[in-house]
Amino acid sequence: MSGQVRPNIEVFSEPSALAQAAADLFVKTACKALDTRGRFTVAVSGGRTPRLLFDCLVRLDEARSLPWSLCHIFWVDERYVPVTDPASNFKMANESLLKPLGVAQANIHRISTEVDVEDTVAQYEAAIQSVFALKPGEVPQFDLIQLGMGADGHTASLFPDSYEVDAERFVAWTVPPVAPHRRITLTPSVLQAASQLMVLLTGKDKAAMLQMVFSGVEDPMKYPIQLVWPVLERVVWLMDEEAASEL
Ligand code: 6PG
């Protein structure tokens, strides 16, 4: 990371402490957006780690008391599977966060995988355009984007050597090497436009890749998580000791 901003890394010995820190950042970012713009837009990822955050949020009074009718929940990515499929990122978030908090349907902008994948992309882009009231050429600026990282360095559904950068698009579909083999994802330009990003990382399986990502060459095609390098000052990395063990 030659000459880069130093990454803002926080390491936690206990998953519960990591979850609390993530939930606190979520609430802090939400309150700031609500105070300054009267609403909060957030995009969450799938996988295991967001569950820690969601479980903490539903127990946190400060989160429960947020004006959820002024909050808009989107997904960073989704697997191209039915909403009833255990692999569905929407299913996990809906069951662990949105239903328990009573978030209204109007505030939930899921990636609708019932239609052809191209139409799924178009419909999600249209939803983003609408909620953000974008003018031509504008990129949606989420108040918060929560990312994870796979052991292969992927983030969102942007996998090594298997995505394209198209600054004109907000949403794309990809064909990752791991099942489900079709996924819908926010594009790099949308990730990089966020006001605040948090990357949640747990587990020993991330350690070697994290060491390479932070100390190796800068190559976002090979290490997609490095797409946040241009905006590192807006990224908080929350990780457990296992994930951080080779830094
Ligand atoms: C997904 C996620 C994906 C995730 C990483 C890390 O749909 O699977 O968006 O990018 O963030 O795979 O997942 P963990 O949280 O399980 O480590």
Side-chain angles (χ1 to χ4, degrees), residues 16-74:
S16 56
L18 186 155
Q20 185 65 55
D24 290 344
L25 180 58
F26 184 105
V27 170
K28 179 184 164 198
T29 310
C31 291
K32 182 180 173 190
L34 289 159
D35 290 348
T36 54
R37 265 189 301 287
R39 73 171 193 181
F40 172 52
T41 56
V42 57
V44 296
S45 290
R48 284 178 296 108
T49 316
R51 200 55 214 263
L52 288 172
L53 166 62
F54 299 163
D55 291 347
C56 190
L57 283 173
V58 296
R59 294 193 308 270
L60 193 62
D61 288 345
E62 295 84 348
R64 298 175 63 82
S65 60
L66 284 173
W68 286 98
S69 62
L70 301 176
C71 303
H72 290 274
I73 295 85
F74 292 81

Side-chain angles (χ1 to χ4, degrees), residues 51 55 120 148 156 165 167 190:
R51 200 55 214 263
D55 291 347
T120 296
V165 177
V190 177

